Every structure is written in structure tokens, then in C-alpha cells.
Amino acid sequence: MVTAAAPLVSIAVAALLVNARHVFYALSFPLHRVRGRLGKTYSTFALTDEAYALTSTEHSRSWSSPRILWVQLFMHLYWAGSATAGALLGALVPDSVTGLDFALTALFTVLALDAIRDLHGDVPTLVLALLSAVAARLVFPDQMLLAAFALFTTGLLARHLATGRKHRHA
């Protein structure tokens, strides 16, 4: 966006929306199982998509604090190392290569499908997400993404307050 001379406000809003997912991660990340102030601080700092995906599954509910921290450390090192290698090696890819622009979309599609398979019947969350997206499209077509996030968050909070039950998170 910077190289395309996009307005600074557009860049700031895009960065905010891309990183807003960490707010949702924080709501279901098992920080309560991490011991110590230093451990909790690092665990919050090192929260990547991959670490979240590994530590918030049903299989990982029995993991100890050290195991969660080690997973996060290795994921953090993997993430930083891969980003550095990608930046250095990306310049070697010729412009004639096509299809790489779809790789990230495909990655998140696969992650979403895995998360849906892991829900074990928590259909109301999926229905709430779809309803939020449809309502945002109908009522706020120019600001659909922001409106859908806001409606979905409001719906999750309302459901939690109304039912008082804890839902599984993918």
C-alpha cells in the first residue's frame, strides 16, 4: 500500500483490521494455563496464528504451561525466521510466476476448514458468523468487514451474557 501511494489513513485502517484478529484470539487463548508473570507476558507477545491454532484445540487442553510456552517459542522462531527468509528469497522469484498471490488465501481456507471440523457441533457460532456477514452486507454494504466484525463480536458477547455457558473454540 505504501508503494502504491495509498493514503496514510487507509494504511492505518487496513493494519488495524488485519491485526484485529488478535483481539478475538485473546478471548479464547488458554492464557490461564500459563504460569508466571513473565510466562504470561511472553505468551501474549508471541501469539501468532500458528501458536493459537495449536494451543486452542481440544487435544491441547491438557498441555502444561511449559509445553504451551515451548510451542510458542518454536512458533515465534519459526515465524520470524520464515518471514526473514521469505523477504530475502522473495526477491529471487521472477515476475513471470503466477498464482502466488492466491497462496495466502488458500492457507487460510485450509485453516478455516480444519477449525470447522474441530467444532464438534458448535453450529450456533457458525450461524452467528453467517448472520453477521449477511446483516452487514445488507445494512452496511460499504463497510461490510468492519460491520460484520462488530456484529459478530456483539453477538458472541450477548450469547455469553445471556446463556452464561462457555463455548469451545476452534
Side-chain angles (χ1 to χ4, degrees), residues 82-101:
S82 297
T84 303
L88 296 173
L89 297 174
L92 302 175
V93 177
D95 290 336
S96 61
V97 174
T98 59
L100 287 180
D101 53 344

Side-chain angles (χ1 to χ4, degrees), residues 32-112:
H32 62 281
R33 292 196 327 251
V34 177
R35 292 188 313 259
R37 181 174 288 182
L38 184 61
K40 288 180 187 290
T41 301
Y42 178 74
S43 190
T44 302
F45 169 75
L47 183 56
T48 61
D49 297 331
E50 295 84 357
Y52 174 80
L54 287 175
T55 58
S56 61
T57 63
E58 186 157 342
H59 174 68
S60 64
R61 290 178 196 254
S62 62
W63 289 4
S64 65
S65 176
R67 184 168 183 181
I68 292 171
L69 287 170
W70 277 110
V71 164
Q72 284 195 278
L73 174 68
F74 287 126
M75 287 294 143
H76 187 196
L77 294 173
Y78 152 79
W79 184 86
S82 297
T84 303
L88 296 173
L89 297 174
L92 302 175
V93 177
D95 290 336
S96 61
V97 174
T98 59
L100 287 180
D101 53 344
F102 186 70
L104 196 58
T105 304
L107 169 71
F108 280 105
T109 301
V110 169
L111 289 174

